[in-house]
Amino acid sequence: MSITQSPSSLFTTEEEKKEGTFDAYSLWIKEALEELPHSFTITDPFISGHPIVFASPGFLKMTGYSLEEVIGRNGRTFQGPKTNRRSIMEIREAIREERPVQVSLLNYRKSGSPFWMLFHMIPVFGEGDGRVIHFVAVQVPISGQRVGNGSGLSEMVFGSCRREVCLGSYVCQDRAVQVEMDERELENWEHCEASESERLKSAEAVNNVLAVLTRYSEFAGRLVCGKRSCLRGAECLSSSLVISLGRIKQSFVLTNPCLPDMPIVYASDAFLTLTGYKRHEVLGQNCRFLSGVDTDSSVLYEMKECILKGKPCTVQILNYSNRKDKSTFWNLLHISPVRNASGKTAYFVGVQVEASCRDTESKDLRPETRQLSVVGAVRVAVRSSFMVTC
């Protein structure tokens, strides 16, 4: 299954290998990770479906799948009819909130046989902008042992487990019957709690994987870490909001009026193409960095007044690009407040259309119409992201 990786991903896709455009550092990271004895996977939340981009040999051995059958698939592949839905929701909630999680989970091998494991997942953040670029998920099998239950019956116990099956069904004609349980009966366990040693084992595995990613990311020039860090003066947006905003193809920026000097907290790829700046040069800046000596100060004042009143406005302003020739361009700019669910202004969105393109795009939607559609899409993304604003 072919996948398209996110720009900040540490891993190379199979298509890039065939085309010869892969990053050597990505191969070094994979080789180092493959030497670890743990069972784990690494996923990329920026790719549609949140697929697995790396699976360790230990994971493949534990599940019985081949590497080709795992890469590009979502973790749902390994769940089955008796997988606890509450545990799945707990994992999804942790992904949405970008935080670690530990849960006991019933998964299924390729053969269809079930097994209980301790699922330990952590987010991996980009050191530059604080965005989540990967999730590391370690799987530790919960070990079992057969013990007597005091009535002559033999049971399989996994850590501290609860069963949905009545033990009375195993008693026949008032005498105890020795019962041998196969793996299928594991599905009847309602819950399995991992032991302390298994929890420590999962924590050690997570730390070892993170150490490899951190070390080799320095060589790749895409630094990662286990804790979120943001550019000075900029807000860290959740990956769910970044993904939603990334689907909007027009040129726009998102600024936060709750932070000092109202910095840019998101810039679209189209905005970077229009202005010639790189993302790290934009985030944390006030939008006036695009202005220059010939920019009309009265237009800047009009924009400032509308922002203070929390009202939308549309202006035509002369901006300066970061291209080699330091060229200027006329920007048809629409600014609009973006409110959260409580009605409070959480952000301002600025949508840019190069004025020279207005006549050449007469067959498409009018620039004003396209700008309003961007504003609507941004509002939907913000309100559905459950972000905590000021």
Side-chain angles (χ1 to χ4, degrees):
M1 178 181 295
S2 64
I3 56 176
T4 302
Q5 69 184 105
S6 62
S8 54
S9 175
L10 295 174
F11 299 93
T12 303
T13 65
E14 293 300 321
E15 292 178 351
E16 289 174 322
K17 289 182 182 179
K18 294 177 182 179
E19 294 172 0
T21 60
F22 58 84
D23 187 344
Y25 292 117
S26 296
L27 297 182
W28 293 352
I29 293 173
K30 286 186 177 181
E31 291 175 358
L33 291 172
E34 287 172 351
E35 293 178 0
L36 296 176
H38 318 296
S39 170
F40 64 96
T41 57
I42 300 177
T43 59
D44 191 332
F46 279 87
I47 303 175
S48 177
H50 196 157
I52 295 171
V53 293
F54 178 88
S56 71
F59 176 83
L60 301 177
K61 182 179 180 181
M62 182 177 69
T63 60
Y65 286 91
S66 67
L67 186 63
E68 291 74 18
E69 293 172 316
V70 172
I71 298 300
R73 294 187 177 273
N74 185 276
R76 293 187 298 270
T77 302
F78 314 105
Q79 299 165 16
K82 292 297 183 70
T83 302
N84 191 302
R85 297 303 117 186
R86 183 177 299 176
S87 299
I88 298 303
M89 291 303 297
E90 188 174 346
I91 294 172
R92 290 177 180 174
E93 187 75 6
I95 292 174
R96 186 182 66 79
E97 297 178 355
E98 300 176 347
R99 59 173 173 80
V101 66
Q102 267 191 356
V103 295
S104 297
L105 198 64
L106 181 69
N107 266 7
Y108 292 76
R109 301 182 181 91
K110 182 180 179 180
S111 62
S113 61
F115 66 100
W116 280 96
M117 69 169 183
L118 176 63
F119 181 88
H120 187 171
M121 183 189 70
I122 65 165
V124 178
F125 299 94
E127 194 172 86
D129 54 14
R131 298 178 184 176
V132 172
I133 61 172
H134 292 298
F135 281 92
V136 174
V138 168
Q139 302 85 16
V140 176
I142 299 178
S143 59
Q145 57 180 335
R146 294 186 185 278
V147 299
N149 66 0
S151 62
L153 293 180
S154 178
E155 283 192 319
M156 181 76 79
V157 176
F158 284 74
S160 174
C161 301
R162 297 192 303 273
R163 294 193 62 186
E164 296 174 336
V165 177
C166 176
L167 290 176
S169 61
Y170 293 103
V171 180
C172 179
Q173 296 179 353
D174 297 326
R175 64 185 179 88
V177 179
Q178 197 75 5
V179 179
E180 288 295 326
M181 296 176 61
D182 60 25
E183 287 183 316
R184 277 295 176 186
E185 293 193 46
L186 297 181
E187 290 183 310
N188 295 324
W189 291 93
E190 181 182 335
H191 180 71
C192 279
E193 193 68 32
S195 65
E196 184 62 26
S197 63
E198 288 162 344
R199 292 183 179 277
L200 292 174
K201 185 177 180 181
S202 73
E204 178 186 8
V206 162
N207 290 334
N208 289 342
V209 175
L210 185 60
V212 170
L213 293 177
T214 302
R215 178 185 176 187
Y216 282 88
S217 69
E218 295 178 3
F219 301 131
R222 298 188 288 271
L223 296 178
V224 302
C225 55
K227 294 183 179 181
R228 186 191 298 275
S229 60
C230 297
L231 293 174
R232 184 179 179 183
E235 174 190 359
C236 291
L237 302 182
S238 67
S239 61
S240 61
L241 178 56
V242 171
I243 292 172
S244 297
L245 295 176
R247 297 191 181 106
I248 305 172
K249 302 306 180 184
Q250 285 79 12
S251 173
F252 72 96
V253 295
L254 203 65
T255 63
N256 191 335
C258 304
L259 296 178
D261 206 27
M262 196 172 163
I264 295 172
V265 295
Y266 181 86
S268 69
D269 291 340
F271 174 85
L272 303 179
T273 301
L274 174 64
T275 62
Y277 284 94
K278 296 181 180 179
R279 184 164 278 106
H280 72 270
E281 297 174 317
V282 173
L283 297 181
Q285 295 271 12
N286 183 280
C287 289
R288 61 175 172 271
F289 83 101
L290 292 172
S291 303
V293 292
D294 293 326
T295 301
D296 191 340
S297 59
S298 65
V299 176
L300 295 175
Y301 180 80
E302 180 183 353
M303 294 163 53
K304 182 179 179 180
E305 286 297 301
C306 289
I307 290 172
L308 290 174
K309 295 177 182 178
K311 295 182 178 180
C313 71
T314 302
V315 298
Q316 184 163 292
I317 185 171
L318 184 68
N319 280 161
Y320 289 73
S321 72
N322 193 39
R323 302 186 184 96
K324 291 182 180 180
D325 58 359
K326 300 296 180 181
S327 59
T328 60
F329 63 97
W330 283 103
N331 179 10
L332 180 64
L333 174 65
H334 178 78
I335 301 173
S336 182
V338 179
R339 295 180 172 84
N340 56 23
S342 64
K344 187 176 181 179
T345 299
Y347 302 100
F348 275 89
V349 59
V351 187
Q352 302 81 20
V353 174
E354 190 170 3
S356 61
C357 299
R358 296 183 68 179
D359 297 331
T360 59
E361 298 181 356
S362 57
K363 294 182 180 180
D364 300 326
L365 293 175
R366 294 177 57 196
E368 295 83 357
T369 304
R370 287 189 284 120
Q371 287 175 321
L372 292 178
S373 69
V374 172
V375 172
V378 170
R379 285 174 175 169
V380 170
V382 169
R383 290 176 183 174
S384 62
S385 69
F386 298 98
M387 290 217 36
V388 178
T389 57
C390 63

